[in-house]
Amino acid sequence: YSFIMECMRKLWLNFLIWILLLFVGCNQVDTENELLVEKERENKINDQTITIDFEILNKPILDESVIISLLFRANDSSKKLFLNYSSVTEDDISFGDNQIDSFELSSNSRGDYPEQQIIIIPRREGRVFFIVSATMKFDKENVTKTISIPIDVDKSNNSRD
């Protein structure tokens, strides 16, 4: 009788150990799945690229308006872009009347961001830089693309090209 009881106790202990291992193992799989989902989410954010293309539409002349066309593209066009415009030195460039230097940009129904035309006024001859930043916001981090647009400013319209 004691031999049977001893065997039953060992079987019961083995059963409990296997159940414990099963629960611990399942919990570990869930944790690994959570880590994979988090890593996949991080990769998605890190893969977000923003591209900024520009074109200077007229000849930059000292103290005259210059129009710059900006095109923005992103992998996830469902997100708003937060735009900011500035110059390296405040004395180099001023903005045209009623020109906003920061705002939100949403894509249209086709997933394209509308072209932006920015009016700046160069305040110094030579090369000045116009800074454009576009940011996409996510839950835990932001993705930002910044470019510096070099603008070669002539003193007058009669200068050589």
Side-chain angles (χ1 to χ4, degrees):
Y1 180 76
S2 70
F3 176 73
I4 293 174
M5 289 302 279
E6 184 66 28
C7 287
M8 297 263 298
R9 190 172 64 81
K10 285 182 179 180
L11 282 173
W12 180 248
L13 282 174
N14 279 336
F15 175 74
L16 288 177
I17 289 171
W18 281 107
I19 293 295
L20 180 64
L21 288 173
L22 179 69
F23 283 125
V24 169
C26 288
N27 189 29
Q28 188 172 359
V29 169
D30 287 344
T31 304
E32 287 175 6
N33 284 340
E34 290 171 12
L35 288 173
L36 287 173
V37 167
E38 182 65 23
K39 187 163 181 67
E40 191 173 300
R41 185 187 164 284
E42 287 174 7
N43 285 339
K44 183 180 178 190
I45 290 174
N46 291 335
D47 287 345
Q48 290 302 323
T49 55
I50 302 169
T51 58
I52 305 171
D53 294 321
F54 69 91
E55 182 180 0
I56 300 171
L57 300 180
N58 58 325
K59 183 177 178 180
I61 305 295
L62 184 66
D63 293 325
E64 292 185 19
S65 295
V66 177
I67 301 170
I68 300 173
S69 173
L70 297 168
L71 287 174
F72 298 91
R73 287 189 304 278
N75 288 354
D76 184 359
S77 60
S78 67
K79 295 278 189 188
K80 288 183 181 180
L81 290 178
F82 295 85
L83 305 179
N84 187 16
Y85 308 128
S86 62
S87 65
V88 174
T89 307
E90 286 185 30
D91 296 339
D92 285 354
I93 294 173
S94 61
F95 292 101
D97 293 338
N98 301 319
Q99 177 65 56
I100 299 171
D101 62 355
S102 63
F103 63 98
E104 295 177 16
L105 184 63
S106 298
S107 62
N108 59 26
S109 60
R110 293 185 317 256
D112 299 325
Y113 293 99
E115 175 185 3
Q116 300 298 299
Q117 289 195 346
I118 309 303
I119 299 173
I120 62 166
I121 302 167
R123 297 298 183 192
R124 153 175 100 67
E125 185 181 358
R127 181 168 276 192
V128 296
F129 293 91
F130 177 57
I131 311 298
V132 179
S133 291
T135 300
M136 293 178 96
K137 295 186 177 184
F138 294 91
D139 293 337
K140 293 186 178 182
E141 66 183 354
N142 297 331
V143 175
T144 300
K145 171 76 174 210
T146 301
I147 65 168
S148 177
I149 301 173
I151 302 169
D152 293 319
V153 181
D154 285 337
K155 188 171 190 165
S156 70
N157 219 357
N158 297 332
S159 299
R160 295 180 111 186
D161 288 334

